[in-house]
Amino acid sequence: VVPLETMYDATLLMRTRWYVLGSLVLLWSLTSHKLLSLHRQQNINNDEEHVSVASSPGKVSHNSAPDGALPRVIALYFPQFHPDPINDRLWGANFTDWDSLRNAPKLNRLGYPIPRPTELGYYDLSDETSDVRRKQGELAREYGVDAFAYHHYWFYDEEHPGPNLHKPLELMLLDGEPDVPFCLHWAAMKWVNNWQSSGGKTSEQQQPKDGVLQLQYFPDPNEAEGRSRIEEHYKWLRRFFHHKNYIKVDGQPLFMLYQKKPMAAPVLEEFRRLAIEDGFSGMYFTVGLTRPHGDLQSFFPFRGIQRFKGFDTYNATVAYPNPADWSNRSLTVPKWCAKENTKDSSINQRQSTEIPGIIVSFDNTPRRSFEDARILSDKGSKAVVATFRESLKAAMHYESCCLHSGSAQNDDGFIIVNAWNEWAEGMMLEPSDVYGRQFLETVREIKEEIVTVNCESSRSGEQSSSIEGKEYNSDPLSATDAISLYHYKPAFVEARIMEKLIELGWNQANRKVSGCSIWTTEEAMAGTGFYSDLNSFRAELKAYHQAIEDYRPLGSDFNIIKALRTSPPNEPHKICDNLRIHPSGLGHFFPSKQLSFSHRVGYIEPLTTPMRHPDFCFNTSDRTALMDMRYMVHDFEHMCRNLQPTSRLVLIDLGASLSYHDGEQEVDADEPPILYLLRLYQKFGFRFDHIYGYEVTFKEPKDVYENLLPIEWMPAYHWINVGVSAKKGHARNPLDSILRSYEENDFVVLKIDIDSSDVELPLVHQLLEDDSLLRRVDQLYFEHHVKFKEMAPIWRSAMKGSLKDTFDLFYQFREKGVAAHFWP
């Protein structure tokens, strides 16, 4: 917006910071309104290493964080979406920031879509008859956004004295909507025209030559006139300070200054004096610094916060990261908080005066020229959501577990999210056509995780408290013991296998190594409850797949994408409820709780041997069990909720076996595995737009299309009767020639069963190591031919590598958000 466009001016980025010495901490802590208050204490170790919460969350407290210990998530609220006299003068009658968005191109210069509003529409915040503000409050409450920080504009000059862009605030006092806690965020700065792509136009007479549209003055409280103007300002503010929903810290109204302004400090001190006269114990002031949080970032050397004029006025700083420095980065938990099993109790006392600030996303194409726009990520929407998740998780963990250690007193704990609705800069928690409700869902999920799970939650594959007691996976949906880029939580049995790979001898590439001992010999994993859980899961698979068989689709031609396109805009994913095979969800069929969970793809079967149906371990001569597909778990409801109406559904089949290979005809199954998989997806409305079948063995096209391929898939099927190349960039490398042509918002299934490790493995590792490819794949099916006893008679010379190789490989895919399944 005009008043906030200077927000990310690179010149504001602070590269120098200061050391807060222990003696100064003691001195400043004596006064409650000083920056280093009794609540917080600056972290002074500039040499601290930083580790991602994904790899080593804190081991600080043995208690779950109670709800009262959670920091309050405050979203910056942009009130400009209504006509205003200054904007009318500068940009034309009735101009709002919606004009900038409406006139923006559909795609930014990187080819990614620019988000537009869906559920709430292009609203007018001055419309007293609209229920938009009520709906905003409902969304905030539903998803755990604790408060709004309304941008507040007040000018002291003669031409435009008093408030601006304040209509939503005035209406809130009248009708109480949105009914959520709030505070004011004073954007006390001059308005500068940095826009080059806007919906309104100014005349030559209206446009100042220096680009300054509106100056910001600060009166002198030592002069009678200045003091009178400040008192007038406070009288306007106090109506909000006394509101039942206004945020207080120790009884002091929270008042935020967007950006440090030396001349603002005397005005704020006068506010503090007036607030005390008004019955408050003072004012709690914060000031914004355009820099990432010193404790929670590892991409700049942290040297403390540089003192500035008026510094002592503020109780805390707010870190507003600059998008130029934020691209593809996320906040991380500092190592001093993530140390495991530390005996140093003082580690729990490390505290900071700095409030974490997090960018939701950023793309200011609507306000800038097409080429000059700043874009938060060059990796698409999934990466943006993942970065937001990582940062929010780190900040929430830091505030709840590092600073407060489970204490219910967290009165001054805040996380500032930028923003609730700054649409022309791509910063919005509100639902959009690109992100849906993903940002809101992330807020709720992270808060639930912190409340539910111990602060000491450990890295992937480790127990959170006692693996013997099987607390590792008491609830896959809420547990966060393993938080990776896409929040992967392995089942207890999978985590235990990953721990025991070497002990089991699975690191040996040897045909004599048994993969089935964990199923048939209780002693192999004795003393953990593992054996009973594993075999409980085997029994539960039968009930789950019976439910899959009994599931009745919404119609023979049901298409989930078409259904999404015709869904009500306020409930775009309501149709996904119909894909739930039990009212209680998939967990109903697995009381042993032995399902792994990924935020991106939902529930998945745990990674176990024999890398196909477990029944094969009990009769290795049973060819039906060998090819039985009913060991996989697919969470179609969850997958549906990640689809967009514009998503394309794609299956890339490398080693396209539309019939059984020679020697497999005796298998007692209705159809080959790939046709079973296609029918399974189709049953839940996942109808593929394109199916690419690569097969090196020559087959007559006429035979393929007339005898092997079911007619319902003929419009989507591409028969490519050539061998696949593993060379990067080669025309026959389908990762480069086909996969790259799709987008992250598409739904892509990749099946690899080429029976040649010299081709398969380079392709698999190309996919794993190339994030731009990996984010395009949702489901991966791969037959990895490694050496172990039970499969040696079948795979023979195709075997290469160890069981550990395959478990490490598949686990990495799952950690990165791809549902990796063993293919039979």
Side-chain angles (χ1 to χ4, degrees):
V1 306
V2 177
L4 292 184
E5 186 50 29
T6 58
M7 183 172 185
Y8 295 107
D9 190 328
T11 61
L12 296 177
L13 185 63
M14 299 184 66
R15 300 291 184 178
T16 57
R17 303 175 177 97
W18 68 304
Y19 293 102
V20 182
L21 302 177
S23 58
L24 292 179
V25 172
L26 294 173
L27 175 62
W28 291 331
S29 294
L30 297 175
T31 308
S32 63
H33 74 269
K34 300 304 182 184
L35 177 59
L36 300 183
S37 65
L38 290 174
H39 296 286
R40 298 175 174 221
Q41 195 174 5
Q42 179 66 39
N43 170 28
I44 64 173
N45 190 342
N46 64 296
D47 294 322
E48 294 288 3
E49 297 179 53
H50 287 71
V51 294
S52 171
V53 70
S55 61
S56 184
K59 288 278 187 178
V60 176
S61 171
H62 291 280
N63 301 315
S64 298
D67 193 42
L70 290 179
R72 284 178 274 189
V73 176
I74 301 179
L76 299 184
Y77 186 103
F78 180 52
Q80 202 260 19
F81 297 112
H82 66 88
D84 177 85
I86 296 183
N87 275 336
D88 285 351
R89 173 176 63 85
L90 296 174
W91 304 104
N94 297 318
F95 170 83
T96 73
D97 223 21
W98 290 132
D99 295 294
S100 303
L101 187 60
R102 286 191 177 102
N103 293 338
K106 182 178 180 181
L107 304 177
N108 62 28
R109 71 172 184 276
L110 299 180
Y112 295 115
I114 296 172
R116 262 78 173 181
T118 51
E119 300 179 33
L120 299 180
Y122 292 87
Y123 45 74
D124 180 352
L125 292 176
S126 65
D127 184 354
E128 299 180 27
T129 64
S130 172
D131 64 350
V132 163
R133 290 180 297 107
R134 176 184 60 79
K135 290 180 178 178
Q136 288 175 326
E138 290 174 351
L139 280 173
R141 292 193 301 272
E142 179 181 356
Y143 288 97
V145 177
D146 297 293
F148 292 148
Y150 291 89
H151 292 318
H152 165 57
Y153 309 100
W154 184 283
F155 297 109
Y156 289 105
D157 63 296
E158 296 292 344
E159 188 175 358
H160 303 100
N164 284 96
L165 300 170
H166 57 290
K167 186 65 173 179
L169 283 166
E170 297 285 359
L171 291 178
M172 181 184 59
L173 290 181
L174 293 175
D175 60 21
E177 300 293 352
D179 187 13
V180 294
F182 71 97
C183 65
L184 296 179
H185 183 254
W186 189 14
M189 69 194 79
K190 63 185 178 183
W191 292 9
V192 180
N193 180 21
N194 287 330
W195 293 7
Q196 300 174 33
S197 174
S198 63
K201 299 293 182 182
T202 59
S203 68
E204 292 295 330
Q205 291 75 21
Q206 292 170 319
Q207 191 66 256
K209 292 182 180 180
D210 60 1
V212 177
L213 305 177
Q214 173 66 46
L215 289 171
Q216 178 73 61
Y217 299 100
F218 298 97
D220 184 352
N222 295 316
E223 298 177 356
E225 183 179 354
R227 190 162 50 254
S228 174
R229 290 188 176 188
I230 295 171
E231 289 174 355
E232 180 186 2
H233 190 177
Y234 181 84
K235 287 179 182 178
W236 189 88
L237 292 171
R238 71 179 300 274
R239 301 176 302 155
F240 301 98
F241 295 162
H242 285 280
H243 193 280
K244 65 180 179 66
N245 282 344
Y246 200 89
I247 299 173
K248 313 289 195 310
V249 178
D250 291 338
Q252 303 175 31
L254 170 64
F255 191 73
M256 306 174 70
L257 185 71
Y258 164 65
Q259 178 184 315
K260 64 181 179 67
K261 295 289 183 183
M263 297 306 295
V267 176
L268 296 179
E269 291 289 4
E270 185 67 8
F271 284 170
R272 180 173 274 134
R273 184 187 67 79
L274 293 169
I276 293 173
E277 290 182 358
D278 199 17
F280 298 110
S281 59
M283 292 280 290
Y284 192 92
F285 294 126
T286 71
V287 61
L289 303 178
T290 310
R291 49 176 299 282
H293 191 283
D295 255 0
L296 289 170
Q297 59 89 20
S298 58
F299 35 99
F300 287 130
F302 179 53
R303 296 292 183 268
I305 300 171
Q306 179 68 47
R307 251 182 104 81
F308 52 85
K309 187 176 180 179
F311 183 82
D312 292 346
T313 294
Y314 304 98
N315 300 79
T317 60
V318 178
Y320 291 120
N322 188 318
D325 308 309
W326 194 250
S327 180
N328 303 323
R329 294 186 173 105
S330 58
L331 295 178
T332 56
V333 174
K335 189 174 181 179
W336 62 260
C337 175
K339 286 181 180 178
E340 299 181 16
N341 303 321
T342 178
K343 295 181 180 180
D344 181 6
S345 61
S346 66
I347 207 75
N348 294 355
Q349 307 304 316
R350 301 289 287 275
Q351 298 180 343
S352 171
T353 60
E354 197 168 21
I355 297 171
I358 300 172
I359 296 175
V360 173
S361 57
F362 194 86
D363 179 359
N364 63 2
T365 300
R367 292 189 185 154
R368 299 291 184 120
S369 67
F370 187 73
E371 294 298 329
D372 293 337
R374 292 181 182 176
I375 301 170
L376 178 67
S377 174
D378 60 358
K379 296 183 179 180
S381 60
K382 290 182 181 179
V384 170
V385 174
T387 299
F388 175 66
R389 165 173 283 276
E390 286 279 297
S391 295
L392 183 62
K393 171 66 180 177
M396 191 72 69
H397 180 98
Y398 176 79
E399 286 283 331
S400 300
C401 302
C402 303
L403 300 191
H404 294 273
S405 301
S407 167
Q409 294 299 317
N410 200 356
D411 200 32
D412 64 340
F414 303 108
I415 295 173
I416 310 301
V417 176
N418 198 3
W420 175 262
N421 62 338
E422 189 141 11
W423 284 91
E425 289 190 341
M427 298 189 294
M428 64 283 141
L429 290 170
E430 289 182 336
S432 71
D433 58 351
V434 173
Y435 298 101
R437 293 189 177 188
Q438 289 184 73
F439 292 124
L440 289 169
E441 290 166 351
T442 297
V443 173
R444 181 168 65 186
E445 289 163 4
I446 294 299
K447 294 182 77 172
E448 288 174 350
E449 290 166 5
I450 295 293
V451 170
T452 305
V453 181
N454 292 343
C455 284
E456 64 170 325
S457 54
S458 61
R459 68 190 308 170
S460 301
E462 295 180 359
Q463 66 274 24
S464 64
S465 55
S466 172
I467 202 162
E468 303 296 330
K470 293 183 293 186
E471 297 178 24
Y472 187 88
N473 194 16
S474 60
D475 184 355
L477 273 176
S478 61
T480 57
D481 306 286
I483 303 297
S484 63
L485 180 62
Y486 290 99
H487 176 50
Y488 180 58
K489 174 66 178 66
F492 165 74
V493 292
E494 179 180 332
R496 191 63 169 167
I497 287 173
M498 295 302 296
E499 289 179 349
K500 295 277 189 177
L501 289 173
I502 295 177
E503 184 177 327
L504 289 166
W506 289 3
N507 58 323
Q508 302 173 35
N510 191 319
R511 291 168 176 261
K512 296 181 180 180
V513 171
S514 173
C516 286
S517 60
I518 62 171
W519 291 94
T520 59
T521 307
E522 186 170 2
E523 290 75 17
M525 303 287 279
T528 64
F530 174 93
Y531 181 79
S532 61
D533 283 338
L534 194 61
N535 280 280
S536 293
F537 170 73
R538 178 191 173 205
E540 292 159 0
L541 280 172
K542 294 180 175 62
Y544 163 69
H545 281 285
Q546 185 61 51
I548 293 289
E549 186 176 329
D550 295 342
Y551 174 78
R552 293 293 174 262
L554 297 181
S556 59
D557 59 347
F558 174 56
N559 186 312
I560 192 63
I561 295 298
K562 289 183 179 179
L564 286 172
R565 290 171 184 166
T566 57
S567 295
N570 61 328
E571 293 182 309
H573 288 89
K574 183 68 174 175
I575 189 67
C576 301
D577 293 347
N578 295 285
L579 307 190
R580 189 177 301 162
I581 60 175
H582 190 275
S584 300
L586 289 184
H588 168 80
F589 299 100
F590 297 92
S592 69
K593 302 185 183 298
Q594 298 313 312
L595 287 181
S596 298
F597 180 79
S598 166
H599 172 72
R600 185 179 173 198
V601 296
Y603 283 109
I604 329 172
E605 74 281 359
L607 293 174
T608 68
T609 50
M611 297 159 59
R612 53 223 320 114
H613 201 288
D615 284 359
F616 179 68
C617 278
F618 296 88
N619 184 0
T620 56
S621 62
D622 184 353
R623 303 287 286 188
T624 300
L626 178 71
M627 302 303 294
D628 192 341
M629 298 279 287
R630 293 172 298 174
Y631 59 91
M632 298 183 189
V633 175
H634 295 86
D635 195 339
F636 288 104
E637 178 191 359
H638 194 104
M639 288 187 261
C640 171
R641 297 191 187 281
N642 286 328
L643 293 175
Q644 299 296 324
T646 56
S647 297
R648 294 169 291 181
L649 275 59
V650 181
L651 188 150
I652 303 174
D653 184 3
L654 308 185
S657 303
L658 294 172
S659 61
Y660 283 109
H661 298 305
D662 292 340
E664 291 180 346
Q665 284 81 1
E666 70 270 25
V667 174
D668 183 16
D670 295 332
E671 54 194 354
I674 190 62
L675 297 185
Y676 170 88
L677 191 70
L678 284 168
R679 293 195 191 281
L680 177 64
Y681 276 97
Q682 180 175 283
K683 188 170 191 176
F684 287 85
F686 285 67
R687 295 178 177 269
F688 291 100
D689 300 293
H690 295 281
I691 305 171
Y692 301 92
Y694 280 82
E695 176 57 49
V696 68
T697 303
F698 176 74
K699 291 184 181 295
E700 289 287 350
K702 181 179 180 181
D703 187 40
V704 171
Y705 284 99
E706 291 186 2
N707 300 323
L708 300 178
L709 183 68
I711 192 169
E712 63 261 40
W713 293 308
M714 194 171 293
Y717 202 86
H718 310 271
W719 176 250
I720 306 173
N721 206 176
V722 297
V724 168
S725 172
K727 184 178 180 181
K728 293 181 181 179
H730 195 283
R732 287 187 286 110
N733 181 327
L735 301 184
D736 291 316
S737 60
I738 293 179
L739 182 56
R740 288 195 191 279
S741 66
Y742 291 96
E743 304 293 334
E744 292 182 27
N745 288 330
D746 296 325
F747 181 83
V748 176
V749 174
L750 176 62
K751 189 217 97 178
I752 303 177
D753 183 12
I754 302 173
D755 293 339
S756 171
S757 58
D758 292 337
V759 178
E760 291 175 334
L761 290 181
L763 285 171
V764 168
H765 285 286
Q766 180 189 355
L767 178 64
L768 184 63
E769 294 163 9
D770 188 333
D771 286 346
S772 66
L773 288 173
L774 197 64
R775 285 192 301 272
R776 290 171 164 86
V777 177
D778 296 89
Q779 301 279 329
L780 171 66
Y781 304 88
F782 175 37
E783 186 174 28
H784 193 191
H785 303 87
V786 294
K787 294 181 179 181
F788 69 105
K789 176 181 176 181
E790 288 77 13
M791 290 301 297
I794 300 165
W795 284 343
R796 301 173 186 170
S797 61
M799 301 171 78
K800 184 177 182 180
S802 68
L803 281 169
K804 184 178 185 299
D805 293 335
T806 199
F807 275 83
D808 287 342
L809 179 66
F810 278 67
Y811 196 88
Q812 287 182 72
F813 274 112
R814 289 185 169 199
E815 279 193 311
K816 292 189 174 184
V818 176
H821 309 268
F822 294 127
W823 183 254

